Amino acid sequence: MKTTMKVLLGALALGLAATPALAQRDPAYAAARSAGQVGEKMDGYLGIVGAATPALRAMVDDINIRRRAVYAQQAQANNATLEEYAFTAGCLAIQRTQAGEMYQAPNGSWVQRGSGPAQRDPRCP
């Protein structure tokens, strides 16, 4: 799996950049992220932290559908499984969170990013 992760890292650097950029153009996404209503999950998808409104659920579902499409395409192109690709994407997304943003810790709990590095799964590349 380590070799696969290395291959995926290169692909993620190229292919995943578009997905967060598209989501960040949405003011509702930026507001939800800043307010700690959404956060990055270890599985590569966006999660809702706390109570979900219908509008928040719809936004998160839309972003995750787009992410899954990118992951599926890139996983196939890199001879990896969707789950491997999504997990690696989650590792990188958590690593890129900024202070004050929410993310899922290895134990599954939601954590607000401080000034230090994010807690990451030991399997992360």
Side-chain angles (χ1 to χ4, degrees), residues 1 4-20 41-45 66-93 96 124-125:
M1 187 162 173
T4 303
M5 290 291 194
K6 288 178 184 178
V7 170
L8 293 177
L9 281 176
L12 280 169
L14 298 173
L16 187 61
T19 301
K41 294 176 26 181
M42 292 184 306
D43 64 3
Y45 297 96
R66 291 186 211 183
R67 285 185 182 189
R68 183 178 173 86
V70 170
Y71 297 165
Q73 181 182 26
Q74 292 297 320
Q76 184 176 21
N78 289 284
N79 199 25
T81 68
L82 175 64
E83 292 77 17
E84 288 172 329
Y85 197 91
F87 176 79
T88 303
C91 291
L92 295 174
R96 288 191 304 255
C124 285

